Amino acid sequence: MSSTAQPPIRFSTQQAFASRLTLATLTGRPIRISQIRPSSPTNPGLAPHEISLLRLLEAVTNGSTIEISYTGTILEYRPGLITGSVPGSGASGGVIRHEIAAGCTRGISYFLLPLCLLAPFSKAPVNVLFTGPGVITSATPAGDVSADTVRTAILPLYANFGISNNIELRILRRSNPGPRGKGGAGEVQLVFGHQVRLPKTLHLLNSGRVKRVRGVAYCTGVPASNNARMIEAARGVLNPMSADTYIFSDVSSAPYLPVKDKANPNVKIKTGIGFGLSLVAESSTGCLYSADVVSPPSGGVPPEDLGQQCAYQLLECIAAGGTVSSVAAPTALTLMAMSSEDVGRLQLGKDVISTGQIIGLGRDMKAFGLSGWGFRESTGAENEVVVSVVGRGVGNVGRKIT
């Protein structure tokens, strides 16, 4: 997937940073991103979570080159071959250990979603352990979904593309955003052992009717009664809509982090304290809709409010229509563009397709040489459209040459 002779595709600003790096790695096209926070008086250039993502891409690829300007406002990235957790290429015992620094303000899904898109096209299985003081497993105020939502609402989507074996996301230690939304000291492991030459062409046009709701209420370092109060409030909203509603309660202790204190080097403090709720609704045709809420780092929000907010957010996601939610739509559209040279069709709600994220993704795909999208009105619903995507057949180069 490496092509060093091609001139880099030029972008500006840090918008859609992870998505553009993922598309560059999948297509093998080099990119150059300029004007990355040039006017910030205190923190110009790349942020800590963006540097961490670049290190992750370097670990799961072979031959990638990354050049960053002195001020950090210009990045040139030339992708290599996606190798996964190949022994001798950064993996120890078949596992890549990726440590996230304490200054990270993004949730673990910021790293998981690009990695899951790259994993099916890897030369070898992907096994990455995310650790360090900056791992946040819950949702974040920045808009990242929790690891539970990735596990229950996004990873099952890969089965529609014929990618379903040996895929597991393990939440080894939970954490919420720490003080000022930074860090959490959680631990997550992604095992993605199903590699394919080309994903199957997707035809997902029938959303069906919601038949059940599942969820996870989690709390770290706070009383378990917070979970019970969130669950009761959420069920009060959802039970009249769906009788088959079950929300699991997960209670864990808060992780400890050492404090840099010369007087007492053994002292540790709790971090990642808080609680949250992740809900997933499944339809009769297997379509999934998700919602995520988390207590703010500053506190002050009662669990009942979070439970009701998450339930109403799930109902809004279902009301938006389509066969995939706004959280999973970028993953589905990207895999459709990478599939075999055939026309795939996906039904999306107009409120989903009109978001800035989806519109920007379509423009970026066009810049990388992928096919454009076709639209037509859905015959079954007024607020939905059918998106047609022609696959480019790029697929897994590493699997083809071995």
Side-chain angles (χ1 to χ4, degrees):
M1 288 190 180
S2 177
S3 181
T4 56
Q6 295 175 315
I9 302 173
R10 296 180 179 271
F11 297 101
S12 61
T13 76
Q14 71 279 2
Q15 187 177 6
F17 184 82
S19 175
R20 288 168 175 172
L21 289 178
T22 304
L23 290 174
T25 308
L26 288 173
T27 58
R29 296 291 303 274
I31 62 172
R32 177 185 172 89
I33 304 177
S34 59
Q35 298 181 18
I36 303 175
R37 301 182 185 88
S39 58
S40 175
T42 56
N43 297 304
L46 294 168
H49 58 270
E50 294 165 346
I51 295 291
S52 185
L53 179 62
L54 288 170
R55 290 193 297 107
L56 177 62
L57 293 178
E58 187 179 23
V60 298
T61 59
N62 183 24
S64 298
T65 60
I66 301 171
E67 298 179 5
I68 304 174
S69 66
Y70 180 77
T71 58
T73 57
I74 300 175
L75 164 71
E76 186 163 327
Y77 171 67
R78 294 184 177 272
L81 182 69
I82 307 172
T83 55
S85 302
V86 175
S89 299
S92 177
V95 179
I96 296 176
R97 188 180 179 91
H98 183 72
E99 185 168 345
I100 301 177
C104 181
T105 58
R106 303 300 298 265
I108 192 63
S109 61
Y110 178 82
F111 306 93
L112 288 175
L113 295 180
L115 185 60
C116 290
L117 281 172
L118 300 179
F121 307 98
S122 173
K123 185 177 181 181
V126 173
N127 192 337
V128 179
L129 176 64
F130 294 91
T131 184
V135 178
I136 303 173
T137 63
S138 69
T140 63
D144 301 308
V145 298
S146 65
D148 295 283
T149 297
V150 176
R151 177 175 55 85
T152 58
I154 296 180
L155 287 182
L157 181 65
Y158 285 77
N160 296 312
F161 296 91
I163 307 168
S164 59
N165 300 329
N166 302 323
I167 301 175
E168 186 179 2
L169 180 60
R170 305 166 185 163
I171 304 175
L172 305 179
R173 186 168 61 235
R174 289 190 178 274
S175 63
N176 284 58
R180 298 183 301 278
K182 295 183 179 180
E187 196 167 294
V188 174
Q189 185 175 9
L190 174 66
V191 180
F192 208 114
H194 193 171
Q195 280 65 47
V196 295
R197 171 68 186 96
L198 285 171
K200 292 182 178 179
T201 303
L202 178 68
H203 297 280
L204 196 58
L205 302 175
N206 185 10
S207 58
R209 291 183 176 273
V210 173
K211 64 178 182 178
R212 60 169 166 255
V213 177
R214 296 292 182 265
V216 177
Y218 52 87
C219 64
T220 55
V222 295
S225 60
N226 291 284
N227 280 358
R229 293 162 64 185
M230 280 191 298
I231 293 173
E232 183 179 2
R235 288 180 65 93
V237 176
L238 296 174
N239 278 353
M241 315 291 179
S242 173
D244 188 4
T245 301
Y246 181 78
I247 303 175
F248 176 73
S249 177
D250 189 352
V251 182
S252 58
S253 58
Y256 285 85
L257 283 180
V259 179
K260 296 180 180 180
D261 188 355
K262 294 182 179 180
N264 190 359
N266 296 324
V267 67
K268 295 182 179 180
I269 61 170
K270 284 185 178 181
T271 187
I273 299 174
F275 49 87
L277 179 62
S278 170
L279 294 176
V280 176
E282 182 181 354
S283 73
S284 55
T285 56
C287 299
L288 299 172
Y289 308 92
S290 62
D292 243 322
V293 295
V294 66
S295 59
S298 57
V301 179
E304 291 84 0
D305 290 357
L306 287 182
Q308 289 185 350
Q309 178 186 347
C310 191
Y312 286 126
Q313 184 179 331
L314 179 65
L315 295 179
E316 289 178 359
C317 182
I318 298 172
T323 53
V324 296
S325 64
S326 58
V327 173
T331 297
L333 292 169
T334 303
L335 288 175
M336 290 172 69
M338 297 297 295
S339 62
S340 57
E341 297 181 15
D342 198 359
V343 180
R345 294 177 177 86
L346 179 68
Q347 188 160 307
L348 294 176
K350 291 182 179 179
D351 291 338
V352 175
I353 199 69
S354 61
T355 59
Q357 181 185 13
I358 302 299
I359 294 174
L361 177 64
R363 291 172 177 170
D364 290 345
M365 284 185 176
K366 194 71 174 178
F368 280 98
L370 300 176
S371 59
W373 301 343
F375 301 95
R376 66 175 173 84
E377 291 285 344
S378 174
T379 56
E382 295 181 357
N383 63 334
E384 298 180 6
V385 295
V386 176
V387 184
S388 301
V389 182
V390 180
R392 300 295 291 178
V394 178
N396 189 337
V397 174
R399 194 173 181 86
K400 181 175 64 174
I401 64 178
T402 55

